[in-house]
Amino acid sequence: MPSTNRPSLLSRLSTELGLRSIYRSPRDTKLLCLQRFVRLSAFGLSTLILVLHLSRLGISDARIGLFMTLTLLGDVASTSCLAILADGLGRRTTLMLAAALMSASGAVFALSSSYWALVAASVLGIMSPSGAEIGPFRAVEESTLAHRTPPALRSDIFTWYTLSGKAGTTLGTLACGWAAQALQQRDDWTPTGAGRALFGAYAGLGFLNVLLPLLLSPACEASAARAKPPPRPPSPPSQAESGETSALLPAVAPSTPSRPLLPSVSASSRPLVLRLSGLFAIEAFASGLVPASWIAYFFSTAHGMQPSALGALLSLTALISTLSILAAAPLARRIGLVRTMVFTHLPAAVFLALIPLPRGRPLAVLCLVLRSCTMSMDQAPREAFLSAVVRPEERTAVMGVLGVVKTLGQSVAPSVTGGLVQGGRFWVSFVVAGGLKVGYDLGVLGMFGRWRGREEGGGEEGERAGGEVEDGRECGAGEGDGRAEGRK
């Protein structure tokens, strides 16, 4: 009967899309998604105007490339220090400190026109030159989500965590394009003044991110993630203890283990971390060649698109990539996390390489839109995969290390692109970036294509690949190479 079939269909749909998982998740999970939405709204805002604002200040393309490289190198310092020390300092404190640096950077951009002052604000603070996540935020938040979520539900939770960031980027880019166009049409506003106002909004969103960690519970801290040994039942006192000894020795409270400030990565985890670092460095360098800000600059200079049209185009592609994320979790349940990562990222790499080849704007826009259809579908499976193969006590440190590696890979690329732009060979950066991303996908498939966790049906094989159990659930920390690869 229709009345009985309809609830069953809605129930299956909510399960497939992960709605049931995110609804039943702790409040901390929802707050972390909200934090990412607000933060990526600010990063999406800066993506559209960063290169254009620097160009309007009279800064050359080569110096803009140098600016972006120095910015990413500064991010290496902030990410490595804050992410690696996060479990020792406290995860909530770390998120607040990073958000304060982000807000300070926006304030300097809103007030100063000096090239070196802007460089200093970006290097010492947090300013995303590509619209992508930078700083220690992601490492800390993903580690927290991993220990607050059962392994079987992590793919759903990371899907909505990724979706919240994409939605924030879409909103920030769209709002920035409309606001920039509206301000520039007023007689009392110059393009430079409009850029300053938008960076003021960036600073405000950063300050909002300072406040949100105050609402997180103590369960988010690393100390809460560590399993506590069950209390030992008291043993009956011996005859000596019941006499003089028990009277002379005062009761001593059990000591609580101190929280180490510096985490360590075990020897068995290092081969996995090295392989992941090599792959992520290649992919990050490719992404750094053509970040969203350079793509916006390409369509502005090569095809004469205005800020409002650029904002609408980038918002459309962000919306498409956001909606496509919803298909990642159901696909991962059917073909596995690693195959989902590869088979969704590969087409996007091909379309990226094709963007500069058409001479007309419609075909270039089409390639950009087609790229957006699958470019983000690998993110949630990748985060779930990393949380499964890394030991629970090492997650924040390892994710911080991988974040540093990705930032280092990105930091060299903008200067290369800046030189290519100044030499009239902008198209080379797109082709090289697409080719490197294809190589990354094939490398992931070759190294980890046989890995299957227990939630993917790996059974004992998945346990050998994933290994360790946290709170009675498989969480994916095994031994050395075996943690990443199952055996046939």
Side-chain angles (χ1 to χ4, degrees), residues 70-75 77-79 82 97-98 100-102 104-105 108 116-127:
L70 294 176
T71 298
L72 291 170
L73 288 175
D75 177 58
S78 64
T79 299
L82 292 177
L97 288 174
L101 292 174
M102 172 183 167
S105 295
V108 173
W116 292 111
L118 299 179
V119 169
S122 298
V123 170
L124 301 177
I126 293 179
M127 175 65 67

Side-chain angles (χ1 to χ4, degrees), residues 280-333:
F280 286 1
I282 294 172
E283 202 276 337
F285 179 79
S287 298
L289 286 173
V290 282
S293 53
W294 274 123
I295 292 176
Y297 189 63
F298 171 78
F299 278 93
S300 175
T301 56
H303 297 289
M305 296 186 69
Q306 297 299 314
S308 59
L310 269 176
L313 174 61
L314 295 182
S315 297
L316 173 64
T317 56
L319 177 62
I320 294 173
S321 65
T322 299
L323 295 177
S324 69
I325 293 172
L326 292 173
L331 186 61
R333 282 192 287 269

Side-chain angles (χ1 to χ4, degrees), residues 216-278:
L216 295 173
S217 71
C220 293
E221 299 296 345
S223 57
R226 300 187 181 97
K228 297 181 179 179
R232 299 176 60 183
S235 57
S238 64
Q239 187 174 9
E241 289 175 337
S242 60
E244 184 179 13
T245 306
S246 61
L248 292 175
L249 297 179
V252 179
S255 61
T256 57
S258 59
R259 183 172 62 186
L261 184 62
L262 288 172
S264 61
V265 177
S266 62
S268 61
S269 298
R270 289 169 192 161
L272 173 67
V273 174
L274 289 175
R275 284 192 290 171
L276 291 172
S277 297

